[in-house]
Amino acid sequence: MPVSKNKIQLPSMTPGTARSIAWLRYGKAGARPKVYIQAAIHANELPGAMALHHLMPRLTEADRAGRITDEVIVVPTVNPIGQSQLVGNNHLGRYDLLSRDNFNRNWLDLSGAVAERVGVKLGRDAAANVGLIRKAAIAALKAMQPLNELQTMRVEVMKLSIDADIVLDLHCDMEAVLHVFASARDVTGAAQELAADLGALSTMYNEPYPEALTFSGVNGALWARLADRFPSAAIPQACFSTTVELRSQHDVTHALGESDARNLYRYLVRRGIIAGRAGPLPRLKSAPTPISGMDVGYAPRRGFLVYHVAAGAKVKKGAAICEIIDPADPRGARARTQMLARTDGILFSRKRNGALAWPGMGAFRIAGAKPLAHRKGMSGLDD
Ligand SMILES: [Zn+2]
């Protein structure tokens, strides 16, 4: 099957401008299982685009050899709105400058619309329910009439993803090690395999599923929310949807892209998407930990940051992670405010030395095993 190259045209927002989203299909439309992979919804996070740059030739070759009997959708850079946001020689890709929306929030929770359409038909036959739910979700998206570019992007992209069996959303952090966010419903199976194949240093899971409407959140939570809503119906978790954080923004090299592509490919082989032998599963580098155990260091005051600890380090509760220096305070060491770890765990993400800090700004994140009282009920997605 030749690779099919496709384009989503977005509505033009201003005279003389128009943007589109390129996407590719490997294998066969409608075949199962279906995998959906995208990168750069936060448009200035390009390690995922680099991984896909190296993965796509591998997929093309596998497809030509007839080894992809199902369907793989790849969207190498999903967010042309964010790609175009060049401001004063900087690429600002995290928030939509028009609506100020974070590009990875406010995706569409279709559980209500699906419940309305097919709720009464959901019974004890899990396979039948999966079919009904996928159809209803696509129908709900088709019924929407978005007017602007951002909403059209959300609707059209979800038409490609919402009926997939596996959804991989590739991101990165500012300075970070490879980590994975998943739902507790997947963490013992699909997510651990993915984390092991990718060599993730940390896997964190939401309990039971992410509340915030991130892209990976809405694709996976559709099933969990419907299962909660219709407890007597057999509704499986038919989509494994996850956010993969491919290290730091500046971690874009051919060596990393090539090894990430090799690992993603091996994962697809392991899941039976591509014919072949995956070989033994690499050892998981660290056990999954709950989002409620994730410590976020919020800056208590303004100043600039300098770190004592590199991303990826194992830290102990009470360890000094970084300090905020008040540039106007002439008292040397007394101008420094230390920020301490409040749990034992892996410092999986931080900002850069020299970054500006302001009160309440997240300066670092630590994946810890123990749920933390001060994190209960707090979203992990506050930036
Ligand atoms: Zn991101």
Side-chain angles (χ1 to χ4, degrees), residues 136-252:
I138 296 283
L141 289 165
K142 284 187 175 159
M144 291 178 180
Q145 297 180 333
L147 287 175
N148 71 19
E149 203 179 20
L150 179 60
Q151 275 308 94
T152 305
M153 178 175 92
R154 287 176 174 144
V155 172
E156 293 302 318
V157 165
M158 283 187 69
K159 283 182 191 169
L160 294 176
S161 70
I162 196 66
D163 62 348
D165 300 84
I166 298 175
V167 171
L168 304 180
D169 189 16
L170 307 181
H171 286 249
C172 68
D173 210 316
M174 196 169 270
E175 283 219 2
V177 288
L178 206 162
H179 58 283
V180 171
F181 291 108
S183 157
R185 292 176 189 245
D186 299 308
V187 81
T188 51
Q192 277 198 38
E193 269 187 18
L194 178 70
D197 264 323
L198 292 179
L201 269 80
S202 166
T203 307
M204 279 154 285
Y205 57 90
N206 286 283
E207 301 154 295
Y209 50 81
E211 288 292 333
L213 301 176
T214 61
F215 180 77
S216 80
V218 293
N219 282 284
L222 170 67
W223 301 93
R225 289 193 170 133
L226 287 169
D228 284 351
R229 198 158 171 162
F230 300 100
S232 60
I235 302 175
Q237 183 61 37
C239 174
F240 164 51
S241 184
T242 185
T243 297
V244 177
E245 301 276 351
L246 291 173
R247 311 175 194 85
S248 320
Q249 253 177 323
H250 57 83
D251 280 331
V252 178

Side-chain angles (χ1 to χ4, degrees), residues 249-287:
Q249 253 177 323
H250 57 83
D251 280 331
V252 178
T253 66
H254 282 296
L256 286 171
E258 171 55 34
S259 75
D260 287 341
R262 193 179 337 117
N263 293 341
L264 283 167
Y265 188 91
R266 188 177 57 220
Y267 176 73
L268 296 178
V269 171
R270 192 178 308 288
R271 300 302 293 182
I273 310 302
I274 303 169
R277 289 166 68 135
L281 185 68
R283 193 180 58 83
L284 193 63
K285 293 196 169 154
S286 61

Side-chain angles (χ1 to χ4, degrees), residues 41-42 45 94 104 170-172 245:
I41 190 67
H42 287 140
E45 298 178 0
R94 188 169 182 82
N104 195 28
L170 307 181
H171 286 249
C172 68
E245 301 276 351

